[in-house]
């Protein structure tokens, strides 16, 4: 009588799998809907204000590979390691200092909004307005 047991187990896990995939589809639909009406934070309440600004900063600061840089420095001022050809680099829009992507991301996560080397704000003056507007919009949605 082994076969029917195995068979029903198989059916059961298949059923669970179906239920889970239906749930994930529903969840995706709901989150798409909320994103559409601008209430992303309603379903993801852990998204804090500083997280929003971090995300926007990430979007603004371009990631380039080290070998694309013209006249780059030898070391990253955050970790003091030498850059390698294949490293992903974040170049600051304002002061054009460059750092490892990971190093700068960690720095930004500490809620820093200035260059670790020269303390120039990440956001250039002409982009500050757009940045504040987006930050305001995402914070307002969280209320
Ligand atoms: Zn580094
Ligand atoms: Zn700098």
């Amino acid at each position: 009588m082994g076969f029917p047991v195995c068979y029903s187990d198989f059916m059961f896990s298949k059923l669970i799998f179906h239920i889970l995939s239906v749930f994930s589809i529903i969840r995706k639909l709901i989150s798409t809907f909320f994103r559409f009406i601008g209430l992303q934070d309603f379903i993801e309440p852990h998204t804090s204000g500083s997280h929003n600004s971090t995300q926007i900063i990430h979007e603004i600061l371009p990631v380039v590979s080290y070998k694309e840089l013209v006249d780059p420095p030898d070391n990253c001022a955050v970790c003091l390691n030498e850059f390698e050809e294949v490293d992903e680099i974040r170049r600051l829009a304002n002061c054009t200092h460059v750092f490892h992507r990971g190093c700068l991301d960690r720095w930004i996560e500490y809620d820093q909004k200035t260059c670790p080397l020269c303390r120039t704000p990440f956001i250039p003056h002409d982009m500050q307005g757009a940045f504040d507007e987006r930050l305001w919009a995402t914070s307002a949605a969280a209320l």
Side-chain angles (χ1 to χ4, degrees):
M1 292 294 276
F3 177 68
V5 176
C6 289
Y7 185 69
S8 70
D9 272 358
F10 175 70
M11 286 301 284
F12 183 69
S13 51
K14 217 177 162 187
L15 187 70
I16 295 281
F17 177 76
H18 272 292
I19 291 172
L20 286 180
S21 52
V22 168
F23 269 132
S24 79
I25 289 168
I26 291 174
R27 201 181 173 279
K28 216 170 278 175
L29 282 176
I30 292 175
S31 78
T32 308
F33 173 71
F34 277 115
R35 201 169 300 140
F36 181 70
I37 60 171
L39 281 174
Q40 169 74 10
D41 293 311
F42 180 70
I43 42 165
E44 284 170 30
H46 60 271
T47 309
S48 69
S50 76
H51 180 81
N52 285 336
S53 62
T54 304
Q55 210 167 359
I56 296 168
I57 288 173
H58 281 181
E59 281 173 32
I60 288 174
L61 301 181
V63 174
V64 291
S65 85
Y66 183 71
K67 55 180 183 291
E68 288 171 43
L69 294 172
V70 182
D71 198 19
D74 293 334
N75 324 67
C76 165
V78 175
C79 67
L80 304 178
N81 287 323
E82 276 187 28
F83 288 121
E84 308 213 7
E85 291 275 293
V86 292
D87 282 344
E88 284 186 308
I89 305 297
R90 241 186 236 288
R91 181 170 35 191
L92 300 188
N94 220 359
C95 64
T96 69
H97 282 132
V98 296
F99 306 92
H100 289 119
R101 178 187 180 166
C103 291
L104 197 72
D105 286 0
R106 227 172 306 136
W107 175 255
I108 295 171
E109 271 162 32
Y110 287 124
D111 218 14
Q112 301 295 324
K113 295 181 179 61
T114 54
C115 171
L117 201 58
C118 68
R119 299 277 166 176
T120 304
F122 289 149
I123 317 295
H125 269 303
D126 53 342
M127 282 170 86
Q128 187 70 47
F131 175 77
D132 287 342
E133 219 166 84
R134 282 201 57 186
L135 194 59
W136 185 84
T138 46
S139 316
L143 293 175

